[in-house]
Amino acid sequence: MADIARLTHLIEPEAKALGFDLVRVKMFGGKDDLTLQVMAERPDTRQLTIDDCADLSRRISDLFDEVDPIEDAYRLEVSSPGIDRPLTRLKDFADWAGHEARIQLTAPVDGRKQLTGDLAGIEGDRITIDVKKHMKMTIGFDQVADAKLLITDKLLAATAPLSTEGAEEEFEEEEN
């Protein structure tokens, strides 16, 4: 499997050149269906358009044609993080404070390997989450194995598209 740190190091400048923040670089699948997933976002909107994804995909493809960092055949998938986005950077936990998240831990804390509740912010490299039916818990960022936002009405309202341009419109035909 490819070195994710090296791939991230190669991809991040390409995303930055387009004005995007890199959210996640991940490889998954087996040898016959390997996928390199790249998630990025515009810092001002936290979204990418289809054209943005295509632009970043072309830049990555051109670069990887030159440096060939992945031995096996793979599929490149470039996308916006989506509504139930992964929380991969410490700043994500601050930016999405007040929203519900699920955090998988590297090792149990107070007998819990998973924490679900409202993010309450960060202090230094420590994350506080108000765990449902329990209490507020503070963990180190280094204790997070995986984390993502959970879809709620509040999150849907906060992530509504800034533009619906290009969305299909319904219309009624007039009968004469």
Side-chain angles (χ1 to χ4, degrees), residues 4 6-7 15 17-18 23 46 51 105 115 144 153 164 172:
I4 295 299
R6 179 168 183 251
L7 294 176
L18 293 169
V23 174
R46 296 187 179 167
D51 290 337
L105 301 172
L115 307 178
V144 176
D153 289 342
T164 57
E172 293 181 27

Side-chain angles (χ1 to χ4, degrees), residues 11-23:
I11 294 168
E12 191 156 31
E14 300 303 319
K16 289 283 184 209
L18 293 169
F20 307 151
D21 285 342
L22 191 59
V23 174

Side-chain angles (χ1 to χ4, degrees), residues 23 38-41 46-49 53 78-83 85:
V23 174
V38 177
M39 288 185 180
E41 66 185 1
R46 296 187 179 167
Q47 300 173 6
L48 287 185
T49 65
C53 292
V78 177
S79 69
S80 179
I83 296 171
R85 62 182 301 123

Side-chain angles (χ1 to χ4, degrees), residues 58-149:
R58 277 190 289 278
R59 287 188 74 110
I60 294 167
S61 293
D62 290 348
L63 174 65
F64 282 21
D65 284 347
E66 290 175 26
V67 298
D68 198 21
I70 303 173
E71 246 179 63
D72 301 314
Y74 66 94
R75 177 179 42 249
L76 175 61
E77 175 186 293
V78 177
S79 69
S80 179
I83 296 171
D84 57 342
R85 62 182 301 123
L87 304 170
T88 60
R89 305 161 294 183
L90 188 58
K91 76 180 209 79
D92 294 337
F93 292 89
D95 289 349
W96 294 98
H99 291 279
E100 193 172 345
R102 178 172 297 126
I103 302 173
Q104 300 290 331
L105 301 172
T106 56
V109 173
D110 291 344
R112 296 170 176 264
K113 182 91 169 154
Q114 176 178 289
L115 307 178
T116 302
D118 293 332
L119 295 175
I122 63 169
E123 189 170 320
D125 67 349
R126 312 275 300 156
I127 300 160
T128 301
I129 181 170
D130 190 359
V131 179
K132 290 183 176 234
K133 300 179 185 172
H134 189 53
M135 63 182 183
K136 280 190 178 179
M137 295 179 69
T138 301
I139 57 168
F141 181 62
D142 62 345
Q143 293 175 279
V144 176
D146 192 49
K148 68 180 248 173
L149 292 177

